[in-house]
Amino acid sequence: MNSRHFGWFFLAIGLVWFIPMVDSPLAAEPSSDPKPITDPGSLRDRYGRKRSTAEWGKDRLTAIAIVDPLASPSDDLFKEMNLLEQKYRQQPINLVAIYEDAQPDTLAMSQHAMDANLAWLTLRDLEGEFTTALGVKTIPCFILVDKDKNMIYRG
């Protein structure tokens, strides 16, 4: 397993671990060091409309993939993301792919996501404000956010 796939390995482990607990009393317990996520208002959908983390729904785990907009749409990363979407489609989880602003425009981001057959909610992070607020240092990066909007995993 190359280093690129370690993030997916941990994301899958996190999903397996946290999804069964969503309705349990343990799900309300914060992790040992939860970090609330902040929304600087920089997320846009493929139509250029402003989107907010508040739209991701209450009582839902959120898996966020910060993806490289310059990666090939046929990259194994996108195939794995689609497999995860198929596996967890019926679960109370939000799957969000966020492209950093390195993509030239929203249309190019949308085309890239369509070429990759990406079934996740796809957003563009204008000027990288959201990824910076999450503390993202490398891409791809995978983040799990609990139902209270606390970051419980980043890697």
Side-chain angles (χ1 to χ4, degrees):
M1 182 181 320
N2 66 35
S3 63
R4 187 167 194 183
H5 296 108
F6 274 113
W8 284 113
F9 173 76
F10 287 114
L11 177 61
I13 295 296
L15 292 175
V16 168
W17 178 261
F18 288 105
I19 285 177
M21 296 186 338
V22 169
D23 292 326
S24 78
L26 294 175
E29 296 292 324
S31 66
S32 60
D33 187 24
K35 296 175 176 69
I37 62 169
T38 57
D39 186 351
S42 61
L43 298 177
R44 301 292 184 273
D45 66 13
R46 62 183 176 156
Y47 302 107
R49 295 179 300 215
K50 186 175 181 177
R51 300 295 293 265
S52 168
T53 57
E55 298 171 31
W56 294 348
K58 296 179 181 176
D59 299 325
R60 294 179 72 106
L61 183 69
T62 300
I64 302 171
I66 310 297
V67 296
D68 182 357
L70 303 177
S72 168
S74 63
D75 193 297
D76 287 342
L77 173 72
F78 298 107
K79 291 175 187 171
E80 290 178 33
M81 288 172 71
N82 285 329
L83 289 173
L84 282 172
E85 190 278 332
Q86 290 171 5
K87 183 174 182 176
Y88 295 106
R89 184 176 292 155
Q90 302 302 318
Q91 301 293 326
I93 184 167
N94 299 307
L95 300 171
V96 182
I98 297 178
Y99 286 77
E100 267 206 313
D101 195 40
Q103 196 68 11
D105 59 36
T106 303
L107 181 61
M109 176 212 59
S110 180
Q111 185 63 51
H112 186 274
M114 287 189 328
D115 291 346
N117 293 317
L118 197 54
W120 293 38
L121 170 63
T122 305
L123 302 174
R124 178 176 176 219
D125 183 16
L126 297 177
E127 300 175 14
E129 293 176 19
F130 187 72
T131 53
T132 299
L134 292 175
V136 173
K137 305 270 190 260
T138 61
I139 297 175
C141 182
F142 311 97
I143 297 164
L144 284 175
V145 178
D146 69 13
K147 66 179 187 163
D148 297 319
K149 303 291 187 257
N150 292 311
M151 183 175 16
I152 54 177
Y153 173 82
R154 178 184 62 219

